[in-house]
Amino acid sequence: MTGTGAPGNGHVHPTQDDPILAVLSEGVGGPVGSRAGRARWWTPLRAVVLMAAVGFALGLVQKAPCVEGTWIEGDTRYSAMCYSDLPYLYTLRGFVEETYPYTDDEQVRARYESMEYPVGISYWAWGTSLVTHWLNGSPDLERRYKMSVGELQTDPEVLAETRLYVAVNAVGLGLLTILAAALLTKVNPRRPWDAAMFALAPALALTGMVNWDLLAVALVAGALWAWARDRPVLTGVLIGLGTAAKLYPLFLLGGLLIICARQRRWRDLGVAAAGAAAAWVLTNLPAYVASPTEWRVFWSFNSDRGADLGSIWLVVSQAGDLSLSADTINDGSLLFFGVWCAGVLALGLLAPETPRLAQLGFLVVAGFLLVNKVYSPQYVLWLLPLAVLARPRWRDQLVWQAGEVLYFASVWWYLGGFLEPSRGGDSGFYWVAIIVRMACELYLVALVVRDVARPWRDPVERPVDPGSSDDMGDDEGQDTTTRSNAVAV
């Protein structure tokens, strides 16, 4: 790809396609036209990659207050909203002592809690700890064995090493962010600039370093790219690897089921599912062989947990002063999610045209998150690559992410106790923030559902009308035969 994205090179330029950017562009001469100059080196891919790098770097700057205090100043991590799981898990899960997460060693298990994450994240966390030790020099393990876990958390040598561990992960997660952004530019060759909404997302900058979720995000972006390139085996493998890191990439298979059922592509569905299963099994096998007990911790931990941060279940239990058991929440969540998936299936099969994988994947994952027992701040990343391709409109993305940013702030205020009545706050504000977040998510869901049910409203496949200032008008009469063959991408 060459050029700046002007109409002459086949790209849909956002200043011509997006109403918000079209208005903003008036301040610099108006939307890009056919006679716009070209800077051949600055392709959309390179521009989006730079945006992703800058956006992620800004997120690192936002974490600076915690880095300076090595995350041991309790109030700072919440007041500055710079909390990250990484430094705590480095010590509390034994990576500081090069502990393999899937070991049955009794001394290790008496000293450290089990790793409660899927194997993909556990491997990554352990691998980056080994890189940290290699860069820092082999630690004096005998000395560390004599210290309690509490003492390790405040030891100057360990604190310096913890900062290095976070830095190593920052490099890795930054590269994953860039990779995801690059892959998203390639999903639809006509619309590479849609990936800019991922690269510049406030949610990405704020939550990218909270945990290791970007590993699954990059694999989901890869699966979307592979499916767009008609490579079902690779699509399945990437979905399987993503599921080994986080459960939610598995839901993309539901989108593939709908697309393949409509297009009678049963073989593609079969090889994608087989690839996903094989990749998941092979990734999990080393952990299971090493310790079936430790491997099962992720599954038992999530099954046994009750209403947790950010969930509608927490609002119901706290506001209603109810005691909801884990089984009750499990059953309620499963029932709702089953009905939701049935609705997405019906929508996808009955739609006038085959929906795109990003649309179907977004709807299924959104339904899962709406009733999940916990909504950690970084879970917004699960939706981000799917959302920007499902509904590539800056206004809609910003409305959705405004709710996510409000929730991001409120969860730290809540955990820091700043909303407690004794400190002049109101814990009910946290409940409101959860409801607002869900409402903004449902707003985006409603738009995607409308685009699937009325595909002539879908901005991805609608021909660009430089004179249009709003895509929300009445355009039912538009000729739908102009949609491209990439409709199921």
Side-chain angles (χ1 to χ4, degrees):
M1 295 186 294
T2 60
T4 62
N9 60 24
H11 300 150
V12 176
H13 198 279
T15 60
Q16 286 194 341
D17 178 62
D18 191 283
I20 294 293
L21 296 186
V23 172
L24 294 176
S25 70
E26 295 297 336
V28 291
V32 168
S34 60
R35 296 183 180 275
R38 285 169 171 74
R40 291 186 176 275
W41 195 88
W42 279 111
T43 63
L45 172 61
R46 289 169 178 164
V48 169
V49 162
L50 178 61
M51 293 176 191
V54 171
F56 189 82
L58 290 175
L60 296 181
V61 172
Q62 191 266 333
K63 300 295 184 289
C66 283
V67 175
E68 293 173 2
T70 322
W71 287 273
I72 61 175
E73 298 178 9
D75 278 349
T76 299
R77 58 184 175 176
Y78 298 134
S79 62
M81 307 178 195
C82 54
Y83 174 88
S84 172
D85 286 328
L86 276 58
Y88 300 101
L89 294 175
Y90 180 64
T91 303
L92 297 177
R93 298 301 180 269
F95 298 121
V96 66
E97 294 179 1
E98 300 183 346
T99 299
Y100 182 59
Y102 299 100
T103 176
D104 286 326
D105 185 283
E106 293 182 0
Q107 291 183 332
V108 171
R109 294 280 69 91
R111 187 170 171 82
Y112 295 109
E113 294 183 30
S114 300
M115 192 66 170
E116 67 272 32
Y117 294 94
V119 298
I121 284 182
S122 297
Y123 294 157
W124 177 283
W126 177 63
T128 51
S129 73
L130 299 182
V131 173
T132 300
H133 294 156
W134 175 71
L135 292 173
N136 198 48
S138 299
D140 185 352
L141 295 181
E142 290 298 327
R143 172 178 174 271
R144 294 184 181 184
Y145 292 153
K146 296 176 183 178
M147 301 170 67
S148 68
V149 175
E151 290 172 334
L152 284 173
Q153 288 184 291
T154 57
D155 180 71
E157 176 186 297
V158 174
L159 289 176
E161 189 175 283
T162 300
R163 287 194 292 270
L164 179 60
Y165 178 70
V166 174
V168 169
N169 276 276
V171 172
L173 294 175
L175 292 175
L176 288 174
T177 299
I178 291 171
L179 174 61
L183 289 168
L184 292 175
T185 66
K186 299 288 189 178
V187 172
N188 188 333
R190 292 179 56 250
R191 302 182 61 92
W193 292 107
D194 289 347
M197 284 179 276
F198 171 86
L200 297 177
L204 175 61
L206 291 173
T207 67
M209 283 293 294
V210 173
N211 204 284
W212 292 281
D213 294 64
L214 281 170
L215 177 58
V217 170
L219 291 166
V220 166
L224 294 171
W225 168 82
W227 185 251
R229 293 296 177 270
D230 197 23
R231 301 174 68 176
V233 175
L234 180 58
T235 301
V237 168
L238 292 171
I239 289 175
L241 293 174
T243 305
K246 282 286 183 179
L247 180 63
Y248 82 93
L250 176 66
F251 303 145
L252 290 183
L253 290 178
L256 294 184
L257 170 64
I258 294 172
I259 293 171
C260 291
R262 290 190 58 127
Q263 299 179 348
R264 301 296 188 266
R265 298 169 60 182
W266 300 115
R267 180 182 180 280
D268 287 348
L269 177 63
V271 297
W280 184 85
V281 169
L282 291 175
T283 305
N284 280 267
L285 190 59
Y288 185 83
V289 170
S291 174
T293 301
E294 294 303 308
W295 178 84
R296 293 190 188 98
V297 167
F298 164 70
W299 306 98
S300 60
F301 174 81
N302 285 281
S303 176
D304 296 340
R305 77 191 309 174
D308 213 330
L309 289 174
S311 71
I312 188 62
W313 303 106
L314 183 71
V315 176
V316 171
S317 60
Q318 290 185 347
D321 195 22
L322 302 174
S323 179
L324 299 176
S325 68
D327 288 340
T328 298
I329 298 174
N330 289 340
D331 293 341
S333 298
L334 184 61
L335 177 61
F336 177 90
F337 186 54
V339 173
W340 182 279
C341 288
V344 174
L345 176 65
L347 174 68
L349 293 178
L350 298 175
E353 298 185 26
T354 304
R356 293 176 285 112
L357 179 56
Q359 292 174 312
L360 296 169
F362 170 79
L363 292 176
V364 177
V365 176
F368 177 78
L369 289 176
L370 285 169
V371 292
N372 197 29
K373 292 190 287 186
V374 61
Y375 189 88
S376 299
Q378 76 275 12
Y379 284 7
V380 62
L381 297 173
W382 299 11
L383 287 172
L384 189 56
L386 298 166
V388 300
L389 297 186
R391 183 64 188 174
R393 282 290 182 261
W394 280 94
R395 178 199 58 191
D396 302 328
Q397 294 297 319
L398 291 175
V399 168
W400 164 52
Q401 290 196 40
E404 297 289 349
V405 171
L406 173 64
Y407 173 72
F408 177 85
S410 68
V411 71
W412 305 128
W413 294 335
Y414 174 76
L415 290 173
F418 306 128
L419 299 179
E420 294 178 0
S422 61
R423 300 182 67 165
D426 180 6
S427 58
F429 180 84
Y430 181 56
W431 306 337
V432 173
I434 293 173
I435 299 300
V436 170
R437 174 191 64 77
M438 295 178 66
C440 290
E441 187 175 318
L442 286 169
Y443 164 79
L444 201 58
V445 165
L447 291 177
V448 174
V449 168
R450 187 200 65 177
D451 290 344
V452 172
R454 304 168 71 181
W456 51 90
R457 305 295 293 272
D458 182 2
V460 170
E461 300 303 333
R462 185 179 336 128
V464 177
D465 178 7
S468 175
S469 61
D470 190 357
D471 67 273
M472 298 297 288
D474 183 10
D475 49 9
E476 285 87 342
Q478 187 169 323
D479 184 2
T480 60
T481 61
T482 57
R483 291 171 61 86
S484 75
N485 292 330
V487 67
V489 171

